Amino acid sequence: MILEKLLIFTRTQWAGPTVYRSRTVYEDATPELVRDFFWDDEFRPKWDHMLSYVEILEERPLTGTSIVHWIKKFPFFCSDREYIIGRRIWESGRTYYCVTKGVPYRSLPKRDKPRRVDLYFSSWIIRAVESRKGDGQFTACEVSLVHYEDMGIPKDVAKLGVRHGMWGTVKKIHSGMRTYQLARKSETALSRSALLARITTKIPSHGNLESLNQVSEDGENDQTEMSHTKMDNGVDWRWVVVGGTVALVCGIQTGVIGKALLFGAARRLARR
């Protein structure tokens, strides 16, 4: 397992919270396994010890869209943090674009404690890559992550914590993923969240502006349908359309252009 890059976009580059981008490669792991692992909230507390509470508030089986409620324990000098996250996965071939974002939720009003984290965006691209073993086989899995959140902690303190704690966090995730990999070899039934991870929105492998527009139109149609169900709950589902479009663009583009687009998407979503 290799953490190849950790980039920190500071305030001099944009006005929102600090943005972290990393690229991690896991040997002998499929994109499908890693996708399920990151989505599996029932398993997550086994490696993410900060997560003290998790509940799926709503789900849409046709698209795999869900809204989840998290509470995370923070050190004694900070109050616990509460997250309400909308999420959905797009798929192009065997590349998965997992989009998660903090959303409002009328049924759960804010409280003094735990403190609600409204500004949250943590999304990743998962794809098969060639193994570093040099055998020419695509048996490794690459995870490109873009993450930011406003936890109400001074930026300098947050950046210092990330710089010194990132490697330890990566090792915990890697250990958790390998444990998950072993568990999946048994006949254990998949959790609800892992089953939702398998419901993805297909996008073209080779797209153009017309295909981007089609993805947006499809998302708008789905949003209209959802507005007539109890899934709306005050949630602005336009971010799902934006996320799908950005995912497709990043799948088409490569190198610096793709990275710039992904960062730009995070910056635009932060303003919503």
Side-chain angles (χ1 to χ4, degrees), residues 159-220:
K159 286 192 291 184
L160 181 65
V162 169
R163 288 185 185 278
H164 288 276
M166 175 57 74
W167 182 238
T169 299
V170 169
K171 288 193 291 185
K172 285 182 180 179
I173 295 174
H174 177 259
S175 176
M177 195 277 292
R178 294 306 181 191
T179 302
Y180 189 73
Q181 190 174 37
L182 291 174
R184 286 285 296 272
K185 290 181 179 179
S186 67
E187 298 298 326
T188 304
L190 290 176
S191 67
R192 282 177 61 200
S193 51
L195 287 172
L196 284 170
R198 297 188 167 197
I199 305 172
T200 62
T201 300
K202 305 297 190 297
I203 56 178
S205 297
H206 302 286
N208 50 37
L209 290 179
E210 292 182 3
S211 61
L212 284 173
N213 291 334
Q214 184 61 47
V215 170
S216 296
E217 289 171 3
D218 292 344
E220 289 169 357

Side-chain angles (χ1 to χ4, degrees), residues 206-251:
H206 302 286
N208 50 37
L209 290 179
E210 292 182 3
S211 61
L212 284 173
N213 291 334
Q214 184 61 47
V215 170
S216 296
E217 289 171 3
D218 292 344
E220 289 169 357
N221 292 337
D222 185 54
Q223 177 185 339
T224 301
E225 179 185 352
M226 294 178 73
S227 67
H228 297 292
T229 72
K230 70 173 185 177
M231 283 289 291
D232 68 349
N233 215 334
V235 176
D236 182 357
W237 288 101
R238 288 176 296 173
W239 72 269
V240 174
V241 180
V242 174
T245 302
V246 170
L248 180 56
V249 170
C250 292

Side-chain angles (χ1 to χ4, degrees), residues 130-183:
E130 187 173 344
S131 171
R132 293 177 181 269
K133 298 175 183 177
D135 55 8
Q137 300 299 309
F138 281 70
T139 54
C141 180
E142 174 191 85
V143 179
S144 298
L145 168 72
V146 169
H147 177 95
Y148 66 76
E149 62 181 287
D150 184 2
M151 296 182 292
I153 297 174
K155 287 188 176 182
D156 290 343
V157 175
K159 286 192 291 184
L160 181 65
V162 169
R163 288 185 185 278
H164 288 276
M166 175 57 74
W167 182 238
T169 299
V170 169
K171 288 193 291 185
K172 285 182 180 179
I173 295 174
H174 177 259
S175 176
M177 195 277 292
R178 294 306 181 191
T179 302
Y180 189 73
Q181 190 174 37
L182 291 174

Side-chain angles (χ1 to χ4, degrees), residues 31-45 47 51 54-56 58-60 63-68 70 85-90 96-101 120 122-126 145 173 177 180 184 190-201 239-240:
E32 292 75 20
L33 174 76
V34 176
R35 173 204 65 196
D36 294 355
F37 166 70
F38 279 113
W39 229 243
D40 197 327
D41 285 339
E42 286 83 345
F43 187 85
R44 189 182 186 99
W47 60 269
L51 187 63
V54 61
E55 179 187 3
I56 298 177
E58 297 184 8
E59 60 185 73
R60 188 165 183 81
T63 61
T65 304
S66 62
I67 301 176
V68 298
W70 284 0
I85 302 168
R87 57 190 189 182
R88 185 172 174 180
I89 299 177
W90 281 261
Y96 298 95
Y97 304 90
C98 307
V99 179
T100 74
K101 182 181 182 292
Y120 176 89
S122 185
S123 298
W124 47 96
I125 300 173
I126 301 172
L145 168 72
I173 295 174
M177 195 277 292
Y180 189 73
R184 286 285 296 272
L190 290 176
S191 67
R192 282 177 61 200
S193 51
L195 287 172
L196 284 170
R198 297 188 167 197
I199 305 172
T200 62
T201 300
W239 72 269
V240 174

